[in-house]
RNA sequence: GCUGACGUAGCUCAGUCGGUAGAGCACAUCCUUGGUAAGGAUGAGGUCACCGGUUCAAUCCCGGUCGUCAGCUCCA
């Protein structure tokens, strides 16, 4: 047979000469289409366009609009960047350079510490190389040939990767474009000329193989596009995102303060931020009350022995503030890094019956962790934070239902806020037994139960092994911040280990002592991180129920301050959070000011309003809504607050 | 913690190739009493992050510390 039958995504098929390249097939569709095409997908795997087709198959052509097409585009861009680096710094040795969610990076080892100007030089070089439009050529080698090749270049990192490849199961391939060769499985773009608009975004250090004991290489991040408009839009999006950054908005809207005089990573809640936080806390308190939780309050420090029992100390001493030592070895305290040991003391303070369970203690408990200085960012990673914590003590037969109820609560919290873009991760143990406490059989049980609960609650989740806490597996709810960093918010953790360590028990209906299981859970995760993300989620335009200031009264002139004060009083009586702007300024000036502060409603009061005993309402972003009777306005916003509406009209 | 960058008024930033600094906004006072995104005038505000060194002289150069930012690592 000299023909191959090719099936296309639209269901049609055609015959071609055997050995035809994917590119030629694309050309047969149209020259213009062939120009757009980057790679082809054949029988489920992505291949180079120069790949020959020798069997009957299905083919799909991928362009930059396909995720897999983008990935190849950015991967090839990273090769081109490496090429550019190599031509500016010939001694450069390369680590890895993959495509990532929004672009690509490459890790490499050179003596020069790169500056912004150096990056620009590399970027310009990339444009030059792209214009040469060299083809990417794939060459397959045996392992010894490949080792020989990279030894000649004394490319130690590539050799390390090679040494770990299994030659019997993997084809070793290298790609060459314009004299630059890299170890790579591909696939790649047909040629470098496809990479048209490149922006290198920054340089930083990164440990070889992600291991802090290994050498630190330099990493350049970049992004590239086939059209200028796409690059411009991307850069514009990055700029827009910066405006929503909670660190910027937190300052502008007087939500929180980070002061070096207090200490880094120790946020201070300003009056406006405190309203926001307490509103969220009260909402959760009310939900928890309905679900049978009991609030408790515990101290911020605890005897160090508590943490020796729990196993947190000394294994995590690196990430704790050092102990307060009153008498060496006898009287030492720790700023609490978590609330659980305190809550366990409450449980253990008297005998418990199986009839008492589940017991659900809850506390907005502030904990202190000595996070590495380089990790601190705004409110999302801090050294003191309040966990909306709860420890639920259950019997084995209650565990699954209880986990489901907790998931239900977390889902409800996220829905009320309007978080839709989150991922759920089942964090399980891996084979590294040293990292985890307790009996492996109990772990397997706990993991199975979490999985079962996730299924029952219809969560779409991924399993990540090795991400569990040392005392048990967990379900984490993860969201991204404005610059794409992922943060864990809500969490549910199943714990068979701590009850053992603290010797917790209850009397069963058989008269025997039994061990309860503990669920650690936090829907917000921490108030700090949650509100950090919340600020970015709303871009500072909080829904009415959360807005620290819900309405501002603006008298048209000083003559209407009396009337305004009367309206302020009426609104305050109805628990509306209202401010009076009695500054000696024009209306337009004040409106602009409060629009920038993103205040939901402004009430403009002048002669017209005073005579008719009405108010004029202006809504943030929407403008003038016209004249209302005060009582109608109060009714309207009371409903809006009660419903916790979050849609910005 | 590591690599790199940065730190000037409350905020956003300019500036000094070494001779102790400037704008806009905000703030205060006065004029103005104005109707849906900036009315006018005047004024006050800075140990140029901190500590050392070099120098006749340091905000500027050098070293250290602290803080911030990006990334890595870590995150009970």
């Amino acid at each position: 047979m000299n023909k191959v039958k090719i099936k296309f995504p639209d269901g049609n098929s055609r015959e071609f000469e055997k050995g035809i390249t994917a590119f030629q097939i694309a050309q047969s569709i149209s020259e213009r289409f062939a120009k757009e095409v980057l790679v082809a997908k054949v029988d489920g795997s992505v291949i180079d366009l120069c790949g020959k087709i020798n069997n009957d198959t299905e083919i799909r052509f991928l362009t930059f609009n396909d995720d897999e097409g983008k990935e190849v585009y950015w991967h090839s861009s990273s090769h081109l960047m490496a090429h550019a680096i190599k031509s500016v710094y010939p001694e450069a040795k390369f680590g890895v350079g993959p495509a990532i969610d929004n672009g690509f990076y490459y890790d490499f080892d050179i003596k020069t510490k790169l500056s912004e100007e150096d990056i620009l030089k590399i970027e310009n070089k990339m444009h030059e190389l792209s214009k040469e439009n060299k083809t990417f050529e794939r060459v397959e080698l045996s392992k010894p040939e490949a080792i020989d090749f990279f030894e000649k270049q004394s490319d130690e990192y590539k050799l390390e990767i090679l040494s770990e490849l299994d030659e019997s199961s993997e084809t070793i391939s290298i790609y060459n474009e314009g004299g630059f060769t890299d170890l790579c499985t591909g696939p790649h773009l047909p040629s470098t000329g496809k990479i048209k608009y490149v922006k290198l975004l920054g340089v930083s250090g990164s440990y070889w193989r992600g291991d802090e004991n290994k050498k630190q290489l330099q990493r350049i991040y970049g992004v590239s596009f086939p059209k200028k408009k796409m690059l411009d839009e991307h850069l514009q999006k990055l700029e827009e995102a910066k405006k929503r950054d909670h660190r910027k908005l937190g300052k502008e809207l007087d939500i929180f303060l980070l002061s070096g005089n207090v200490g880094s990573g120790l946020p201070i809640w300003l009056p406006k931020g405190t309203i926001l936080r307490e509103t969220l806390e009260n909402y959760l308190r009310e939900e928890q009350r309905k679900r049978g939780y009991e609030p408790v309050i515990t101290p911020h420090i605890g005897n160090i022995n508590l943490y020796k029992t729990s196993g947190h100390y000394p294994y995590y001493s690196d990430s704790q503030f050092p102990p307060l030592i009153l008498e060496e070895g006898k009287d030492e305290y720790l700023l609490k890094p978590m609330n659980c040991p305190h809550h366990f003391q409450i449980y253990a303070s008297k005998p418990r019956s199986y009839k008492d369970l589940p017991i659900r203690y809850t506390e907005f408990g502030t904990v202190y962790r000595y996070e590495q200085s380089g990790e601190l960012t705004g409110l999302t990673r801090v050294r003191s934070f309040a966990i909306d914590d709860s420890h639920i003590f259950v019997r084995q037969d209650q565990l699954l239902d209880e986990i489901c109820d907790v998931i239900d609560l977390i889902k409800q919290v996220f829905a009320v806020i309007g978080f839709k873009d989150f991922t759920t991760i089942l964090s399980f143990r891996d084979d590294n037994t040293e990292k985890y406490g307790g009996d492996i059989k109990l772990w397997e049980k706990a993991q199975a139960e979490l999985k079962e609960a996730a299924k029952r609650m219809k969560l779409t989740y991924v399993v990540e092994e090795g991400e569990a806490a040392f005392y048990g597996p967990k379900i984490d709810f993860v969201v991204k911040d404005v610059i794409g960093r992922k943060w864990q918010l809500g969490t549910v953790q199943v714990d068979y280990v701590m009850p053992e360590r603290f010797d917790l028990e209850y009397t069963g209906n058989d008269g025997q002592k039994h061990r309860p299981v503990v669920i650690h859970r936090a829907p917000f995760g921490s108030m700090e991180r949650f509100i950090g993300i919340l600020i970015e989620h709303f871009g500072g335009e909080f829904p009415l129920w959360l807005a620290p200031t819900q309405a501002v009264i603006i008298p048209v002139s000083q003559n209407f301050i009396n009337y305004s004060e009367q309206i302020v009083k009426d609104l305050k009586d109805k628990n509306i959070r209202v401010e009076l702007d009695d500054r000696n300024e024009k209306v337009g000036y004040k409106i602009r000011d409060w629009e920038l502060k993103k205040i939901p409603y402004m009430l403009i009061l002048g002669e017209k309003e005073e005579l008719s005993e009405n108010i004029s309402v202006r809504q943030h972003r929407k403008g003038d809504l016209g004249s209302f009777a005060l009582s109608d306005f109060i009714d309207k916003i009371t409903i809006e607050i009660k419903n916790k509406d979050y849609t910005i009209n």
Side-chain angles (χ1 to χ4, degrees), chain A residues 334-615:
Chain A
L334 220 50
L335 277 167
K336 67 176 173 187
M338 72 289 305
N339 301 302
C340 27
H342 288 73
H343 291 181
F344 296 160
Q345 298 311 304
I346 305 174
Y347 180 89
S349 65
K350 61 182 195 181
R352 305 291 178 178
S353 152
Y354 72 98
K355 295 176 190 166
D356 298 332
L357 305 185
I359 292 173
R360 308 177 184 91
Y361 296 136
T362 154
E363 171 175 20
F364 291 91
T366 305
V367 298
Y368 302 87
R369 301 181 185 178
Y370 192 79
E371 305 289 355
Q372 298 189 89
S373 58
E375 254 314 327
L376 303 171
T377 33
L379 284 181
T380 45
R381 190 79 185 267
V382 288
R383 285 178 173 161
S384 81
F385 56 97
I387 304 178
D388 54 329
D389 218 347
S390 172
H391 295 92
I392 307 175
F393 305 83
V394 294
R395 303 191 307 258
Q396 183 61 51
D397 62 290
Q398 297 169 321
L399 180 59
L400 189 55
D401 283 345
E402 194 62 32
I403 297 172
C404 288
D405 188 65
V406 168
I407 293 172
D408 185 64
L409 174 60
I410 297 176
K411 283 172 79 173
Q412 184 190 329
V413 167
F414 277 41
V416 162
I417 302 301
F419 280 170
K420 294 193 185 82
D421 192 16
F422 62 91
T423 51
T424 314
I425 297 168
L426 298 196
S427 297
F428 287 175
R429 64 178 289 155
D430 55 22
D431 295 334
N432 182 356
T433 48
E434 286 184 11
K435 273 164 66 182
Y436 310 103
D439 186 345
I440 188 145
K441 286 209 180 88
L442 293 175
W443 270 84
E444 280 164 5
K445 207 160 145 192
Q447 294 184 172
E449 271 147 347
L450 277 178
K451 208 170 200 171
E452 176 60 28
K455 276 185 191 151
R456 204 204 276 182
M457 297 309 289
K458 298 191 168 59
L459 294 177
T460 42
Y461 59 84
V462 291
V463 172
E464 285 188 8
E465 287 182 5
E467 295 298 313
F470 82 95
Y471 51 76
K474 49 184 186 163
I475 302 181
D476 292 329
F477 292 76
V478 173
V479 300
K480 280 188 193 168
D481 70 11
V482 126
I483 43 183
R485 292 183 287 211
K486 288 180 183 170
W487 299 100
Q488 179 199 308
L489 297 179
T491 183
V492 193
Q493 315 180 352
V494 176
D495 180 5
Y496 285 94
V497 173
M498 298 280 194
E500 189 93 30
R501 285 178 170 274
F502 282 90
D503 199 22
L504 304 181
E505 46 186 34
Y506 65 88
T507 308
N509 61 357
D510 54 2
Q512 302 294 309
K513 298 294 184 197
H514 297 273
R515 209 49 93 215
V517 188
V518 168
I519 300 169
H520 307 240
R521 49 103 279 187
F524 293 137
S526 86
M527 299 315 295
E528 283 73 8
R529 181 175 288 178
F530 189 88
I531 289 173
I533 297 292
L534 186 81
I535 292 167
E536 301 189 353
H537 174 71
F538 289 120
E541 300 180 331
F542 299 110
L544 194 63
W545 74 285
L546 288 174
T549 302
Q550 294 169 316
V552 171
I553 312 296
I554 301 178
V556 168
S557 80
Q558 305 279 297
N559 301 328
F560 308 103
I561 288 183
N562 280 344
Y563 181 59
S564 297
E565 279 171 343
Q566 191 189 317
I567 302 287
V568 166
K569 187 178 173 302
D570 289 348
L571 287 168
K572 280 191 173 159
D573 283 348
K574 299 288 182 185
N575 285 320
I576 310 295
R577 297 186 289 265
V578 62
E579 285 180 49
L580 172 63
D581 185 353
D582 57 4
R583 290 176 299 175
N584 184 8
E585 295 290 350
K586 288 191 167 179
V587 181
Y589 177 91
K590 295 186 191 178
I591 286 173
R592 180 186 146 79
D593 224 30
W594 296 108
E595 281 288 342
L596 292 172
K597 291 277 184 192
K598 308 178 199 304
I599 304 300
Y601 290 104
M602 292 176 224
L603 309 185
I604 321 289
L605 306 181
E607 192 175 14
K608 246 180 358 198
E609 289 73 19
E610 184 161 13
L611 289 175
S612 63
E613 295 191 343
N614 274 341
I615 56 170

Side-chain angles (χ1 to χ4, degrees), chain A residues 5 26 44 65 88 169 200 216 238 248 262 295 304 308 338 342 382 427 446 508 513 540 624:
Chain A
K5 193 172 168 193
N65 295 324
V88 183
S169 63
L200 300 187
Q216 196 161 43
L238 293 180
K248 181 175 155 66
V262 175
I304 202 161
K308 288 182 178 165
M338 72 289 305
H342 288 73
V382 288
S427 297
K513 298 294 184 197
D624 195 354

